[in-house]
Structures are given as C-alpha cells and as structure tokens.
Amino acid sequence: MKASDRAPSATTATKPVLAPGTPSAANPAPAPVKARASSSATSFEQRHTEGFWTAERMRSAALLDLVADTGARSQAATLVSRAARTVWDAVMPTVIGPTRAPASSAVPFPQTGGPWTGGGAVVRTSGRVFFTFQGRTASCSGDSVTSQNGSTVITAGHCVKYQGRWHTDWVFVPAYDNGSAPYGQWRATRTFSTDQWVANEDIDYDVGLAVVAPLNGRKLSSVVGAQGVLFNGGYDKATYAFGFPAAAPYDGTRLIHCGGDSGRDLLLSNDHSLGCDMTGGSSGGPWFQNFDEATGTGLQVSVNSFGYAFLPNRMFGPYFGPEAKAAYDKAQTS
C-alpha cells in the first residue's frame, strides 16, 4: 500500500487512518441492509442483497486501507505489547497443511511488486473481497484456507469490521479477473475477527475471517483449494505476499505479489514487515512462509494490513499468534 496513494495521517492519532476511494455515482450502495450480530462479540451474521455485486460495481468499489500514524500508540502500550510478543515467540508453532495445488513455473525472488506469473494454487485461492461499508461499496483481498468446514476465508480485520461497524453484503471472489468471477461469488454467512480488533481495533490483531455459503452445492475448498496456515511461526523468514491492489500504479485487475526476507516492525506494532509496493485494495491478501513456487502453495502467516505514510514501499502484516488462532478456530468450526 504505497504511502503516496493514501490520505495524510490523522490529526487525532489514536487509530489508523482510513483511505477509501470514491464509489462510482452510477453504482451507489442500496439502502442499509439490517444484519444481526451473533451471540459472540467477535462474529457477525451476514445479510445480503440478491444480485448486488455486478461487474461494474466490483470494478468501482472503493479501497479500504489503513495508514498508521506514529502517534497512534503510547510508548507504554507498545512496551506491554512487545512483552506479550516475547511470550508468544516461545509458543510451539501450529501448522494446518494446504489442501491441494497444481504445478507452475518459478518467479524472481526477491520481488518488491509485480504480477504473479507462476500459476499454481495461489491463483485460485487468492481473490478480491467486496462489501458495503457505511453505505459505500468497498474492496479488499482475501485467501481460501484449509478448515474443518471447508469454507473459510482469511482477510484483514478492517476488511470485515471497521470504525465499530461490521461490513455487509460481504462476498469473496477467488481468481477475480477484471469484473468477472471465474469461480463464482461466495457469499459470507458469518464474519469473524480477533477479540482485540473487535474491542478497540488494535493494529497488532488486524485479522478477519469469513465463512462462506456453498455455491452450486459445493464448498469453497472443493472448488478452488485451500492454503495451509501457520500460527506462532516466528519472524524473519522468506515470505511471499499476494493481493489485488487497485490504486496506481495497479488497477485491481490482476494478482500482484511481493517476495523477500521479512523483518519486524520496530515502531508501532509487533507486525511482520516486508519490502512491497502494493497499494490500496491489497489489504487482507495472504502472506506465506514455506511457499512452493512450483505448486503455488504455502503456509499463511499474515495478511496485508497497513503501511506508514512516511515509509513508502513497505508493507506490514499482523503476527498470527494465539489470538489469530482463536479467531480461526471460531470460524472453521462455524
């Protein structure tokens, strides 16, 4: 998410800054659809408008993105968070293996941003996410992951809930292609996030999930496959990131990727850090360790979350620790 493509930092520096685009006037959102929150504070039962996501409405959806301000967190809170991370680092990793994937060709590594040409499973498991946010159509990215229900998508927390409100009309479009949905539009029945994101939108826990309904009698993972997930996998690893950035120089029509050795945020968060020039719309796209270019499969360890306005070409993504695992377990058993 390129800093030059975002709104300036907020003057009240208590939360990340939303930098959405402007929905097309020809495709306004419908009247708000009533949706009922579930008994769990960290999930939301979805309501949808039939036939809402047309090709033109998908193309014109705004970009929901976050830009962090260095005043967004107190030093004390940062120190407490880092102390908690030290404990998390000692936790044994939890690995959920990938479902399946075909063969593909090798691509350059490292890569700070470019179209994915390797093919493989990631082309089908990755996709765009569309939803209604405060009366506007908006978009992010997401990924199909292995789960007990075979119907779970991981994205960013702000791609399911932001500024205290859950998004509606939420759909996942795997292998999105310039307005077309080659594997269909998968409508969420319920969306989830971490307790910490739901409570106060803590950037360290910007993880969201959705459980999607079967399409034509089949579950998501049986149609597009599903990537593996790794919790408590540690830092500083060879990492691949994917997404559908839609702000210049990208246009949201193609799957873009970055690859390199990740680092760790030394400023506001405990997030992973990766050299990457993906822009608005890539939020929620998957980060992988142990990624196999030959098959397009890996273990998902994070999602595109935010960038700093003063630090271009750098992406940050939340650490998948116990909190992310708890949210994943709620979703996969839903």
Side-chain angles (χ1 to χ4, degrees):
M1 291 174 286
K2 202 170 181 178
S4 61
D5 294 319
R6 299 195 186 95
S9 299
T11 54
T12 302
T14 56
K15 290 184 181 294
V17 181
L18 171 65
T22 303
S24 168
N27 292 282
V33 179
K34 291 184 178 180
R36 181 175 62 84
S38 74
S39 58
S40 169
T42 54
S43 70
F44 181 76
E45 187 174 336
Q46 287 288 319
R47 292 290 184 268
H48 298 268
T49 303
E50 190 69 30
F52 177 62
W53 287 108
T54 62
E56 180 56 32
R57 187 164 271 135
M58 287 191 289
R59 291 190 189 101
S60 63
L63 313 177
L64 194 66
D65 251 352
L66 299 182
V67 180
D69 189 321
T70 52
R73 176 177 297 185
S74 70
Q75 181 179 10
T78 301
L79 292 174
V80 170
S81 185
R82 292 197 186 286
R85 179 68 70 217
T86 300
V87 175
W88 296 347
D89 289 345
V91 178
M92 291 297 292
T94 301
V95 180
I96 295 91
T99 301
R100 57 189 172 85
S104 65
S105 59
V107 294
F109 186 91
Q111 167 67 259
T112 58
W116 174 252
T117 59
V122 70
V123 174
R124 298 191 305 273
T125 63
S126 298
R128 289 190 74 178
V129 168
F130 298 95
F131 48 86
T132 299
F133 168 69
Q134 296 185 355
R136 297 173 292 175
T137 57
S139 71
C140 282
S141 299
D143 184 51
S144 170
V145 294
T146 298
S147 60
Q148 290 184 30
N149 57 28
S151 304
T152 299
V153 175
I154 290 184
T155 184
H158 67 271
C159 297
V160 296
K161 182 180 184 290
Y162 190 61
Q163 295 182 345
R165 298 175 63 179
W166 294 89
H167 308 324
T168 57
D169 292 311
W170 202 102
V171 300
F172 175 58
V173 183
Y176 174 87
D177 184 14
N178 193 26
S180 69
Y183 296 99
Q185 297 182 6
W186 297 77
R187 300 167 63 175
T189 58
R190 183 164 293 178
T191 48
F192 298 78
S193 190
T194 59
D195 293 343
Q196 294 76 12
W197 180 261
V198 171
N200 55 22
E201 296 182 357
D202 187 331
I203 199 67
D204 276 336
Y205 307 97
D206 186 19
V207 181
L209 303 102
V211 175
V212 296
L215 186 62
N216 299 322
R218 300 182 65 187
K219 292 185 176 182
L220 178 65
S221 63
S222 69
V223 175
V224 302
Q227 298 285 353
V229 191
L230 173 61
F231 297 96
N232 298 302
Y235 290 90
D236 305 319
K237 306 289 180 66
T239 303
Y240 290 73
F242 293 83
F244 285 83
Y250 303 110
D251 59 10
T253 62
R254 295 182 294 176
L255 179 64
I256 303 299
H257 88 288
C258 299
D261 293 330
S262 66
R264 183 169 176 174
D265 185 13
L266 300 177
L267 295 173
L268 300 185
S269 75
N270 288 303
D271 282 21
H272 299 283
S273 169
L274 183 67
C276 186
D277 71 355
M278 280 196 275
T279 59
S282 63
S283 288
W287 290 34
F288 298 107
Q289 291 178 9
N290 302 324
F291 186 77
D292 183 359
E293 292 180 356
T295 62
T297 58
L299 299 176
Q300 186 168 347
V301 296
S302 188
V303 296
N304 298 320
S305 175
F306 77 96
Y308 292 106
F310 61 87
L311 189 61
N313 302 325
R314 200 80 192 170
M315 184 78 76
F316 295 84
Y319 184 89
F320 278 12
E323 297 79 7
K325 177 63 163 57
Y328 165 81
D329 284 340
K330 289 178 184 177
Q332 74 157 341
T333 57
S334 173

